């Protein structure tokens, strides 16, 4: 690991000002960053410790929602009584990721900003446009088993690895940020992460000198919550395909169908047309096929990951079938 200076941010504004220095990275839980530093993928000259800035609280909002501070650990979010009662899809998604030890350290802000586990990104001897712009993408004609089938570009086919953000996309959460001048903004989580396009190194909308301060969840909505994660082993594995869903079936038809997908793209995948296909319709295999057709209409495999396309179809079928069974 390359030597670095460690400083402690004195306030959120101070942290944002430190973040404007491209040689400085923020560290809180460090569960992703330290691994990348050991691999020489990240080589900052300075780390700014933000773990003592506050932002570790979960509180009700005036409109009945929930505000989760950027420094709340994943464990604290997953076991919070209101998350378990009103947003169980979020608790289930968090508990489906990593290990208990990692969840005890990982934070909300860090989890949203975690980086891809693409083999070519984490191996500095391999070409990667995300890590080294212009060097190429080794995955496109290489080891691509875990890679994206939606939203790819000829620059990058890496996937976003997280579970938490997939559930937050289904819940239509909002990400709140602060810049070094104290200004704040709010971004829908569905728009927070970016597709690779011609700039795969830009993974989210954060600008230099901008940090995440919190995430808010809207007031609870009716419906059953599901998080189904398909992976190669039962724990400590990233999703091949995941589905987060909030679904209501009333009077024999879908009255709510908010669905987000993980493991398929450079970001949690949310397409409103999928819900629109389902709303007001009676459940049937033909309807589930139609929703899957919308999800996968632009899907493209790269050899090793071709299996993800039928797997996503089957996983969506399974979640919708479970919702129908539970509603009976």
């Amino acid at each position: 690991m390359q030597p670095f200076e460690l400083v402690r941010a004195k306030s959120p504004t101070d942290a944002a000002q430190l973040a404007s220095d491209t040689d400085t990275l923020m560290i809180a839980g460090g569960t992703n960053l330290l691994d990348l530093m050991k691999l020489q993928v990240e080589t900052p000259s300075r780390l700014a410790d933000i773990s003592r800035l506050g932002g570790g609280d979960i509180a009700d909002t005036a409109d009945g929602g929930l505000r989760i501070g950027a420094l709340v650990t994943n464990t604290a979010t997953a076991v919070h009584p209101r998350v378990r009662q009103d947003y169980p899809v979020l608790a289930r998604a968090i508990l489906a990721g990593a290990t208990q030890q990692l969840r005890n350290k990982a934070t909300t802000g860090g989890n949203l900003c975690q980086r891809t586990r693409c083999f070519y990104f984490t191996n500095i001897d391999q070409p990667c446009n995300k890590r080294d712009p212009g060097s190429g993408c080794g995955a496109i004609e290489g080891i691509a088993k875990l890679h994206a089938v939606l939203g790819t570009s000829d620059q990058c086919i890496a996937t976003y690895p997280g579970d938490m953000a997939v559930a937050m996309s289904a819940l239509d959460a909002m990400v709140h940020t602060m810049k070094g001048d104290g200004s704040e903004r709010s971004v829908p989580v569905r728009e927070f992460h970016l597709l690779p396009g011609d700039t795969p190194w830009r993974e989210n909308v954060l600008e230099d000198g901008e940090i995440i301060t919190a995430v808010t969840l809207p007031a609870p909505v009716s419906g059953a919550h599901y998080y189904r994660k398909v992976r190669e082993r039962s724990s400590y594995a990233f999703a091949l395909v995941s589905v987060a869903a909030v679904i209501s079936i009333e009077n024999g038809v879908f009255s709510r169908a908010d669905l987000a997908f993980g493991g398929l793209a450079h970001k949690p995948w949310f397409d409103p047309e999928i819900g629109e296909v389902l709303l007001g319709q009676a459940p049937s295999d033909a309807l589930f096929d139609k929703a899957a057709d919308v999800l996968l209409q632009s899907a493209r495999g790269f050899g090793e990951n071709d299996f993800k396309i039928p797997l996503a179809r089957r996983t969506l079928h399974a979640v919708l079938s479970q919702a129908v069974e539970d509603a009976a």
Side-chain angles (χ1 to χ4, degrees):
M1 184 183 294
Q2 176 175 293
F4 58 89
E5 176 190 8
L6 179 66
V7 298
R8 184 161 291 140
K10 299 179 178 65
S11 67
T13 303
D14 183 37
Q17 291 172 345
L18 288 167
S20 64
D21 178 355
T22 55
D23 289 328
T24 300
L25 294 178
M26 303 295 103
I27 185 167
T31 56
N32 186 202
L33 176 58
L34 291 179
D35 284 344
L36 295 176
M37 291 175 66
K38 293 173 185 175
L39 294 168
Q40 300 289 310
V41 174
E42 295 282 12
T43 55
S45 61
R46 182 169 61 175
L47 291 182
D49 178 9
I50 59 173
S51 63
R52 301 182 185 184
L53 292 183
D57 299 326
I58 299 176
D60 296 343
T61 62
D63 64 357
L66 201 63
R67 184 181 189 281
I68 303 171
L71 295 177
V72 174
T73 67
N74 284 183
T75 294
T77 298
V79 303
H80 191 275
R82 276 212 61 198
V83 174
R84 296 180 65 183
Q85 175 179 320
D86 296 331
Y87 311 97
V89 65
L90 178 57
R92 290 166 186 161
I94 291 173
L95 294 175
T99 64
Q100 182 66 60
Q101 291 89 344
L102 287 171
R103 293 193 294 268
N104 289 344
K105 293 294 292 182
T107 61
T108 304
N111 194 302
L112 284 172
C113 295
Q114 66 177 304
R115 310 200 68 184
T116 182
R117 267 58 173 190
C118 171
F119 165 77
Y120 296 91
F121 174 73
T122 58
N123 186 335
I124 61 173
D125 293 326
Q126 297 292 329
C128 174
N129 286 322
K130 182 183 291 293
R131 187 191 67 251
D132 183 13
S135 62
C137 175
I140 290 177
E141 295 184 355
I143 302 170
K145 185 176 183 180
L146 296 175
H147 289 67
V149 295
L150 292 171
T152 58
S153 75
D154 59 4
Q155 299 287 312
C156 180
I157 62 171
T159 52
Y160 175 76
D163 295 286
M164 183 189 77
V166 181
M168 287 182 171
S169 292
L171 292 168
D172 198 14
M174 191 73 72
V175 181
H176 304 277
T177 71
M178 173 184 286
K179 294 182 180 179
D181 60 4
S183 61
E184 301 177 350
R185 67 168 173 157
S186 300
V187 181
V189 72
R190 293 170 183 171
E191 301 172 10
F192 180 76
H193 297 94
L194 301 173
L195 293 177
D198 293 329
T199 56
W201 53 91
R202 284 206 69 206
E203 297 172 331
N204 56 57
V205 299
L206 289 179
E207 300 172 358
D208 290 342
E210 185 173 23
I211 61 171
I212 296 172
T213 56
V215 173
T216 53
L217 305 177
V221 297
S222 61
H225 290 216
Y226 301 92
Y227 189 74
R228 183 174 290 241
K229 180 177 180 178
V230 182
R231 47 188 164 177
E232 290 186 309
R233 55 181 184 270
S234 60
S235 66
Y236 202 35
F238 298 102
L240 297 171
V241 176
S242 65
V243 181
V246 181
I247 297 173
S248 289
I249 299 175
E250 298 175 323
N251 301 318
V253 299
F254 285 101
S255 57
R256 175 173 293 279
D258 296 326
L259 297 134
F261 301 82
L264 297 177
H266 207 252
K267 58 182 288 183
W269 192 263
F270 178 84
D271 183 345
E273 289 187 28
I274 300 170
E276 292 168 7
V277 164
L278 296 168
L279 290 180
Q281 302 298 315
S284 68
D285 284 342
L287 181 66
F288 299 169
D289 274 336
K290 189 174 180 180
D293 288 343
V294 171
L295 167 66
L296 299 166
Q297 57 188 328
S298 62
R300 173 195 174 195
F302 293 85
E304 282 197 343
N305 68 345
D306 288 350
F307 72 94
K308 280 193 172 185
I309 297 174
L311 180 61
R313 178 177 295 275
R314 293 196 300 271
T315 307
L316 176 57
H317 263 259
V319 169
L320 296 175
S321 297
Q322 184 67 55
V324 173
E325 182 179 329
D326 292 345

